[in-house]
Amino acid sequence: MKKVFVFVLLFSFIIFSSAQAEVKNNNDTLITMEEVVVTATRDMQETRRVPANVTVITEEEINNTGATTVVEALDKIESIQFRTYSGNASQAIIDMRGFGGDNPFGKTLVMLDGRRLNRTDMSSVNWMQMPVNTIEKIEVVRGPGSVLYGDAAIGGVINIITKKGKGKPTVNLSAIGGSYGLHDERIGVNGAFGKWTYALTGENNFSSGYRDRSKYSAQGGGLDVGYLANDLLNLSLGISFNKIDYQLPGALTKEQMDQDRRQYQPAMPDYFMNANDDNDGSDKYTNVNLGLKSFWGSFGQMEINFLYGMKDLQSNMPSWSSFNYADTDTVTYGITPKYILEKNIFGFYNKVIVGADYYNEPYEKTFYSDRRRTIRSGKADLKRESLGFYIRDEFSILKNLILSAGVRLERTSIEGDNHDAVTPSNNFDSDKKYSAEAYEAGLTWLWGEQSKVFAKYATVYRIPFLDEVASFNGYSTPTPFLKTLEQEKGTSTEFGAEYYPIKNLKLSMTLFRIDMKDEIQYVVYDPVQYLGENRNVGKTRHDGAEFSLSYLWPGYVKIFGNYTYHKATFEKGLYNKKEMPLVPQRMANAGLEVYLPFNLTLRSEIQHVSSVFLSGDNDNSTEKLGDRTLLNIALQYKPAWDKMKLTAFLGVDNVTDVKYSSFGIDYEQYAMPNFYYPMPGVTFKGGIFIEF
C-alpha cells in the first residue's frame, strides 16, 4: 500500500514538473454545470465529474418542505432512512446503504463545514445541533469515502454547509407551528462590506412530542465571518452553538400500544423494568472552525482549517438498574491542511489533492448514583488521537473520460484509564494503536451535454469506538480493555449512471456491493468459556440499487421520486445468509408539485418503507416490524415581490394517520414480549418565511 501511495504522489508531481509548457486548460471544451459540491473530492467540483451518486439539498428546498430539522430534510432521499427512540430528531439514528443494523454507529460520516460530528463512543449524532436556518446546503455522497475522510465513511458522507455572507445586507425571519406543541422561530442576517463577509443566525425549536415525556427543546445559532485580505489570502471564522433538552419515553409492547400508544413506558415488575417516568438528557455543543486559504496562481492553493468542538452531555436514566446518571465531556481538536494543484499534463486536465487530518479527542465520562450528582460511582478518562495522510489524483484521459485514484494511510491510538467504584474488576489503565489504509479508483465518462456513467472500487475501514475497546459503562467483562480488538475492514464496488433523455428530465441508477469483514460483534460464549466481550468475528454483505427521477415542466408541474433496494446479510457463522435486522429491503419516495394560479404550489409526497426484522432477531425467527406508507400534503404561497421574498405554507404529514413504529426489539428470545417505539400520527404544520 505504501508503494501505491508513493506512486500516486510521484505521478502527480514529477510529471507536472517535467511538463515543458503550459497547455491551454482542457476545461474550455467541457460543459460547465451549475451544481457544484465540495464533499466528494474535498474541493470545488462539478457534481457531474464525481464518480458517485450525489444529492445536494439547498436552503430553498429545505424551506419549501417546511423541514424543522436536518432529519426531515434528509429522510426522503434514496438510500437513507432514520429511526428514533423518542419520535424527535434529537437522537435519531441514520441508516445509509443498508448499514442501519444493530450497530449503525460510525458507518455514515456526518460533517459540519468539513468537521466530523461523529462521536468517539457508540452514540448517534445529535441532529438538533445543526439549526436548519444556518444551512446553505447539505451535500450527500453515497458510497465509500475512506480515502478522503478516513474512519466512518463507509455507507456515505453527509456534509452540512452553513451560510456565508454575500452582497447587500439581507434579513431572514421565519416561524413554524404545528401539532404536539411544535413551534420553531428563526432569524438570520448576512451580507458583505468591503473585504468582510458576515452571517449571523439563531433558532428556537420546541415540541411537546407525540408521546408523553417525549418533549424536546433546542436553542442554537451560528456566526460566520470572512475576510478577503488580498488576492493571495482568504480568512474565515465559523462559530456555532446549540443546547438541547430532551425526554425519552421508552418502549411499549403491542398490548400497551393498543391501550394508549402515546403513553410512556409503564413499570413492568415481571420483566424487571422500572417506570420510565423521569428519563431525560441535556446536551450542549460548541463548534469553531478557523480557515485559511492561500492562492498561488499556477502553483496551486493551500488550505488549512483549525477545528474545535465541545460536547457537554448529561444523561439521566433512573429506570436503569445501575449507572443511572452520567456526565460526558468530550473535546475535539483538529488540524486539516491540504494542497490542491490543477495543471495540465500535455494538454490533459489534471488535479491533485494532498492533505492530512489530525484529530485529538479527549473523552471523560463520570457516573453518579443520583440526579444531583452528590455521589460519584465511577469515572473514565480516555483519549483518541489520529493522524491520516491522503492523496487523490484526477486525470482526464480523454476530453470526457476522467480517471481518479487515491490512497490514505492513518494511525490512531486509544488510551486511558477507568475507575469503577461499583465493579473494580472493570478498572484499567492501558492503550491500543491502530494502523489503517484505504485506496480507491474511479472512472467517469461524461456523456452528452449533461449525462454521465461511472464506476468505482474502494476499500473502507472503521476504527472501534472507545466503549467497544474499553468497558466503562458498568458492564462486567473478563477483559476491560481489549488490546486484541482491530478495526473493521471492507471493499466497495459500484456502478452508476445519470441520463437526461430530454431537457429537465433526469434519470439515475446506481448498483453497489459492500463486503465487510472483521466486524465487531459481542460474543457471549465460545466453545470453551463465557466471554461477554467484543471480537472481530463478523462478516456481512450489503447489496443494493438506487434509482431516481425528476422532471420539471416549468410553470406547470414537477415530478420527482426514488426507489432503493437493499439486501444486507450475514456471511459467516451461526446466522450465515440470514438478513440483518432493521434494514428494509425496499424504500420508495414519490412527489408531485403542481404550480397553480395566484403563486400557489400544491405539493404531495408518498413515502414507503418495507418491513424489517426486529433488533436482535439475527436468526429471523420472530415477527417483523411492519411496513409503512405515509402521505404528506402541503400548499405553498410564494408571491413575486421586488423588495421582499415571502413564502407561506400549510401542510399535513401522515395524512391517513398510519400507526407505525420505526424501531422494535426482539425480546421473545428471552421469553418476554417484543417492544416497539411508536411514531407520530397525523401531524399539522404551517409557517411563514420572510426575506428582505
Side-chain angles (χ1 to χ4, degrees), residues 50-297:
V50 176
N53 185 359
V54 180
T55 297
V56 178
I57 305 172
T58 65
E59 175 191 6
E60 181 179 7
E61 290 171 332
I62 293 173
N63 290 338
N64 286 344
T65 61
T68 59
T69 66
V70 174
V71 169
E72 291 179 23
L74 289 170
D75 195 36
K76 298 179 180 65
I77 66 175
E78 63 263 39
S79 214
I80 287 181
Q81 72 139 353
F82 288 88
R83 64 177 187 257
T84 172
Y85 303 111
S86 60
N88 65 63
S90 61
Q91 302 292 321
I93 299 170
I94 189 171
D95 175 349
M96 190 169 184
R97 282 206 165 172
F99 282 94
D102 280 332
N103 186 7
F105 310 112
K107 306 295 176 66
T108 299
L109 180 64
V110 183
M111 300 188 297
L112 179 66
D113 289 327
R115 187 187 78 77
R116 68 187 187 195
L117 298 177
N118 296 64
R119 291 173 53 169
T120 54
D121 58 359
M122 278 194 295
S123 297
S124 172
V125 169
N126 193 321
W127 300 88
M128 299 294 293
Q129 68 180 289
M130 296 83 72
V132 293
N133 74 317
T134 67
I135 297 172
E136 177 181 302
K137 62 179 179 177
I138 304 174
E139 297 180 355
V140 181
V141 182
R142 298 168 190 81
S146 292
V147 165
L148 289 176
Y149 296 104
D151 181 43
I154 298 175
V157 180
I158 297 172
N159 191 12
I160 300 160
I161 299 172
T162 58
K163 294 178 181 177
K164 309 295 185 289
K166 57 183 177 181
K168 296 181 179 180
T170 302
V171 178
N172 300 275
L173 301 171
S174 69
I176 296 175
S179 301
Y180 317 121
L182 171 68
H183 61 85
D184 185 8
E185 300 83 31
R186 311 168 190 166
I187 184 171
V189 181
N190 70 83
F193 61 92
K195 295 182 178 181
W196 292 90
T197 65
Y198 60 91
L200 178 65
T201 57
E203 180 180 23
N204 176 54
N205 191 334
F206 174 87
S207 174
S208 298
Y210 171 69
R211 296 178 58 194
D212 295 338
R213 296 201 52 78
S214 63
K215 176 175 67 177
Y216 75 84
S217 174
Q219 297 82 36
L223 170 67
D224 185 273
V225 178
Y227 180 66
L228 179 61
N230 49 53
D231 293 338
L232 298 178
L233 183 64
N234 276 353
L235 302 175
S236 65
L237 175 65
I239 302 173
S240 66
F241 67 93
N242 192 266
K243 182 180 185 299
I244 307 111
D245 297 297
Y246 59 90
Q247 297 176 326
L248 297 170
L252 300 175
T253 66
K254 277 191 172 182
E255 181 180 357
Q256 291 165 347
M257 287 194 295
D258 291 339
Q259 294 170 352
D260 180 7
R261 62 186 292 108
R262 299 182 62 177
Q263 66 178 310
Y264 64 84
Q265 185 183 67
M268 290 177 275
D270 291 345
Y271 305 123
F272 307 100
M273 294 184 180
N274 300 318
N276 192 353
D277 59 355
D278 204 19
N279 289 348
D280 56 42
S282 179
D283 299 348
K284 296 178 183 178
Y285 298 87
T286 302
N287 297 291
V288 181
N289 187 340
L290 174 63
L292 294 85
K293 293 184 180 181
S294 182
F295 304 94
W296 303 341

Side-chain angles (χ1 to χ4, degrees), residues 614-656:
L614 299 179
S615 174
D617 185 18
N618 293 341
D619 61 356
N620 303 166
S621 62
T622 190
E623 62 183 348
K624 285 187 173 183
L625 187 69
D627 62 357
R628 61 182 183 270
T629 302
L630 308 180
L631 172 64
N632 307 322
I633 297 177
L635 182 65
Q636 183 185 81
Y637 174 61
K638 197 171 185 179
W641 294 343
D642 291 335
K643 296 184 179 180
M644 185 174 73
K645 296 181 181 179
L646 183 145
T647 302
F649 80 95
L650 289 172
V652 185
D653 293 343
N654 193 3
V655 173
T656 57

Side-chain angles (χ1 to χ4, degrees), residues 486-525:
E486 300 296 337
Q487 65 263 29
E488 299 179 342
K489 298 182 285 292
T491 59
S492 171
T493 305
E494 60 183 308
F495 168 83
E498 291 182 1
Y499 176 48
Y500 291 79
I502 59 175
K503 185 178 180 179
N504 296 328
L505 175 60
K506 176 184 175 181
L507 307 173
S508 70
M509 175 197 71
T510 305
L511 307 176
F512 65 88
R513 167 172 287 180
I514 305 174
D515 285 315
M516 297 295 299
K517 64 178 182 179
D518 296 331
E519 287 195 289
I520 298 170
Q521 293 182 355
Y522 185 72
V523 179
V524 179
Y525 295 97

